[in-house]
Amino acid sequence: MAGEQGRCRAGATARVFQAQTDMSDEQDIAPAFGICLSGCNLRCDFCVTGARSWDAEQGIAMSAQNVAARACQALQQGARSIQFMGGEPVIHPLFLLETIALLPKAACLVLKTNGLMNDRSLNLLDSLFDVWCVDYKFGNDACASRLSGLADYCRPLQEGLLRLAQRKSCQEASNQPRLIIRHLLMPGHMDCCWTGVARWVAANLPGAALSLRTGFWPGWKSGRHAELRRTTSPEEEAQARRIAADLGIPLAA
Ligand code: SF4
């Protein structure tokens, strides 16, 4: 609000680069009306939305009233949830608060985040969302550093997940999972990333919903990394599911 900028370069005004209903999410929350906000605090070379996610100046400035009206219309047309995503939506707390204040209390609200936030953000946003979808992207710091430029990745991400899982809002009995941990399977990162993520979840959050996302697309700057110049194969996806089964992890549908 005072004009200071971090790595994301976002200011106090959020910009929207996409707002539409789609079916690509977990069955509990699809179809979801997704509101995509420009700007992100990570720099993943494989980011499928590329510049629109990295550059907080992309998209258009939309008022909370306008976005909330479109979200309400989507709910009337059959959307089951309203999803705030990016980029990284947590870097736009003012927009989140203003928009959510205008939405029906009964609406299912989903936050799709990379999970890298401080306690202040977590405390501010915790009770506002029915479902937290947290991307657990890398199973170790070396891959995180090489692919996203962030060397200290696992510790803050894991600490955030543990704090989130302990929150009452993530534990209440419900038909919907309150915390969904997602991992996008990357080609060539079976042992280092997927197995690392699955093992950590099995050991630390055994009851959590873990969602294995397939469909990696070698977009944006993936070509910088030899192993990311292709999609994942059906055999790799089957192997990933076997690893989860061996660890006793039921994958979210
Ligand atoms: S966290 Fe998501 S939006 Fe941000 S750079 Fe990585 S893939 Fe893109």
Side-chain angles (χ1 to χ4, degrees):
M1 296 297 293
E4 65 275 53
Q5 290 185 322
R7 186 183 202 188
C8 64
R9 314 300 297 167
T13 302
R15 300 176 70 86
V16 178
F17 69 82
Q18 186 170 289
Q20 65 181 31
T21 303
D22 74 46
M23 291 293 298
S24 63
D25 291 293
E26 286 77 2
Q27 290 175 6
D28 306 85
I29 52 178
F33 181 72
I35 302 158
C36 302
L37 303 174
S38 297
C40 187
N41 54 358
L42 265 185
R43 292 288 183 268
C44 308
D45 281 342
F46 53 85
C47 182
V48 76
T49 42
R52 295 182 299 171
S53 285
W54 287 21
D55 183 358
E57 296 298 317
Q58 297 233 355
I60 56 173
M62 290 175 67
S63 67
Q65 289 79 3
N66 188 345
V67 173
R70 292 188 60 180
C72 289
Q73 185 180 31
L75 290 174
Q76 288 165 4
Q77 292 172 341
R80 293 178 66 192
S81 62
I82 299 170
Q83 180 169 286
F84 293 85
M85 52 202 281
E88 173 52 49
V90 170
I91 65 175
H92 301 291
L94 181 61
F95 177 87
L96 296 178
L97 296 173
E98 287 182 337
T99 306
I100 289 170
L102 298 170
L103 294 174
K105 286 202 172 6
C108 175
L109 303 184
V110 181
L111 181 69
K112 188 174 173 187
T113 172
N114 61 32
L116 297 169
M117 68 190 77
N118 58 23
D119 280 347
R120 197 173 172 201
S121 299
L122 190 59
N123 291 335
L124 189 66
L125 302 174
D126 170 41
S127 61
L128 299 181
F129 295 95
D130 300 282
V131 182
W132 285 65
C133 285
V134 181
D135 282 329
Y136 192 158
K137 294 174 176 296
F138 310 105
N140 63 89
D141 284 339
C143 290
S145 177
R146 190 165 68 87
L147 300 182
S148 79
L150 184 63
D152 184 20
Y153 172 82
C154 291
R155 181 194 54 77
L157 188 281
Q158 292 167 353
E159 288 178 0
L161 283 173
L162 291 172
R163 281 199 302 274
L164 204 47
Q166 288 162 1
R167 300 248 162 173
K168 188 171 179 294
S169 59
C170 288
Q171 295 175 340
E172 289 171 354
S174 167
N175 290 331
Q176 289 178 335
R178 299 291 167 143
L179 171 63
I180 300 173
I181 303 171
R182 288 176 153 192
H183 177 79
L184 173 65
L185 186 66
M186 296 181 288
H189 287 262
M190 185 71 68
D191 295 334
C192 52
C193 287
W194 169 237
T195 303
V197 168
R199 279 195 182 134
W200 186 87
V201 171
N204 296 280
L205 293 173
L210 181 60
S211 178
L212 176 67
R213 309 295 292 178
T214 55
F216 177 88
W217 182 252
W220 192 229
K221 299 176 181 177
S222 296
R224 290 177 172 177
H225 310 280
E227 80 279 14
L228 297 186
R229 293 174 190 156
R230 63 178 178 87
T231 58
T232 51
S233 67
E235 292 74 22
E236 287 171 308
E237 293 166 13
Q239 184 188 355
R241 292 193 177 89
R242 279 197 300 276
I243 289 169
D246 289 346
L247 290 167
I249 302 175
L251 296 176

